Amino acid sequence: GWILSKRYGLNNMLKKYAVVGNPIAHSLSPQIHRLFAAQFNIELSYERILAPLDGFAGILRTFQQSGGLGANITVPFKIAAAQLVHEKTEQATLAGAVNTITFQQNKWLGDNTDGIGLLRDLTQNLGIDLTDRKILILGAGGAAQGILQPLFSANPASITLANRTLATAEKLAAALQYSSKCMACDLKNLPQQAFDLIINATAAGVKDEPLALPTFLIKQQTVCYDLAYGAAAQPFLTWATQHGALMRYDGSGMLIEQAAEAFYSWHGVRPETQSLISLLNSKIHL
Ligand code: ATR
């Protein structure tokens, strides 16, 4: 009982994980990982760590020294994490960003599970076939960069990258090996056509700023997907509703799936995700 754990410090032997970001207070990762762990009777601790904007590397080192085995990395540190780790998976290299770190004694391994998380949600959970589809991605920041390669792996007809700052979208498109299937355009100068899938990867909703979009982008069968979840996804999804799109989703499925993938790489077992996605959807107002 407690005497043993006091004397031998058994509590300190819990497998230790964390999510690191700034801000971090609203991250759902601790709950998600604890619920996954409960599926397998795995005992772990999973905390939220607020890292100062200029102190990310130090925070990670301290966490590892205190016994940390792995960390999820969130806004705004995913690109910094890609530069800090000693080894990266192919997904992390292609994304230029790391959202999952495994601490080994002399080496930090970086992975990026965001793209696979989105792909799982779209294709497996929502049953959307991306083959030969025309995809529009709004935004060209870190979030957009992280999903491009995985989306191309599903063999769409094309991906149009539309950004407020045209040069950023052009740079991202040009760097791709699939550049012939990828075009960049200005958010204010979109091609006059409806798309099969529109993904909002801008930070407009998170920052509560307006995102003006032309109505010709949407037909009834257009799938509208916001990478954000909860309130931040509402403006885009409301716009989609108003213009008749029947299929509208926020990023809660992606959130759970990217966590499941990280959980698998740490614990070697694949958690069931559907019940958590339902739980999350019933808590946030869609
Ligand atoms: P993230 O890592 O979440 O993608 P980011 O790298 O800051 O965050 O990128 C934010 C993206 O949202 C960018 O594409 C940004 O456009 P710019 O490149 O022009 O900055 C886009 N964005 C942010 N606020 C926006 C707004 N109010 N309207 C349209 N796009 C916006």
Side-chain angles (χ1 to χ4, degrees):
W2 66 272
I3 293 177
L4 269 181
S5 36
K6 280 243 148 94
R7 178 167 303 166
Y8 297 107
L10 292 183
N11 286 335
N12 298 330
M13 290 165 68
L14 278 181
K15 297 169 93 186
K16 234 175 124 165
Y17 300 88
V19 58
V20 183
N22 186 337
I24 201 63
H26 298 291
S27 170
L28 293 173
S29 292
Q31 288 98 315
I32 295 169
H33 279 263
R34 284 178 206 141
L35 286 167
F36 285 163
Q39 291 181 20
F40 303 99
N41 293 315
I42 293 172
E43 290 200 56
L44 53 74
S45 77
Y46 191 113
E47 55 183 309
R48 291 185 187 87
I49 299 179
L50 176 71
L53 293 177
D54 59 355
F56 173 62
I59 287 275
L60 284 186
R61 265 180 236 116
T62 307
F63 181 63
Q64 183 189 20
Q65 280 156 13
S66 77
L69 299 176
N72 287 124
I73 309 302
T74 188
V75 179
F77 298 122
K78 292 183 190 184
I79 292 168
Q83 286 150 5
L84 271 176
V85 296
H86 306 104
E87 269 175 35
K88 285 195 287 283
T89 59
E90 191 188 356
Q91 299 93 284
T93 304
L94 292 170
V98 157
N99 79 334
T100 304
I101 298 180
T102 303
F103 299 108
Q104 296 185 344
Q105 208 141 45
N106 299 313
K107 183 167 75 174
W108 294 359
L109 309 178
D111 192 9
N112 191 316
T113 64
D114 286 332
I116 187 77
L118 172 66
L119 214 55
R120 283 244 164 85
D121 195 38
L122 285 171
T123 60
Q124 288 175 24
N125 299 341
L126 304 173
I128 297 161
D129 182 5
L130 298 175
T131 316
D132 292 332
R133 298 304 171 89
K134 286 187 190 142
I135 301 177
L136 171 63
I137 298 178
L138 308 170
Q145 189 178 345
I147 62 170
L148 267 172
Q149 209 73 37
L151 285 174
F152 269 116
S153 75
N155 209 20
S158 64
I159 298 184
T160 303
L161 264 180
N163 199 39
R164 183 176 61 181
T165 312
L166 175 61
T168 315
E170 282 175 336
K171 214 172 128 191
L172 199 51
L176 281 172
Q177 64 182 105
Y178 301 92
S179 48
S180 66
K181 279 181 158 194
C182 189
M183 46 227 124
C185 69
D186 194 308
L187 205 49
K188 292 213 187 70
N189 190 20
L190 284 153
Q192 298 236 0
Q193 63 174 80
F195 287 84
D196 299 308
L197 168 64
I198 305 177
I199 296 175
N200 182 20
T202 73
V206 179
K207 297 193 292 178
D208 210 6
E209 293 172 2
L211 181 66
L213 297 169
T215 60
F216 58 70
L217 298 176
I218 283 195
K219 56 188 181 208
Q220 264 195 354
Q221 294 309 316
T222 301
V223 176
C224 292
Y225 194 105
D226 199 306
L227 297 186
Y229 59 92
Q234 286 317 299
F236 174 69
L237 298 180
T238 301
W239 171 81
T241 308
Q242 284 166 350
H243 297 98
L246 298 177
M247 290 168 279
R248 310 171 301 264
Y249 308 98
D250 78 352
S252 50
M254 174 181 177
L255 173 76
I256 304 284
E257 294 296 344
Q258 64 77 26
E261 196 65 21
F263 188 90
Y264 177 71
S265 72
W266 287 335
H267 307 287
V269 279
R270 210 169 268 292
E272 184 274 322
T273 52
Q274 202 52 57
S275 53
L276 240 73
I277 294 173
S278 310
L279 186 71
L280 192 57
N281 281 325
S282 65
K283 284 204 175 154
I284 57 186
H285 181 73
L286 277 179

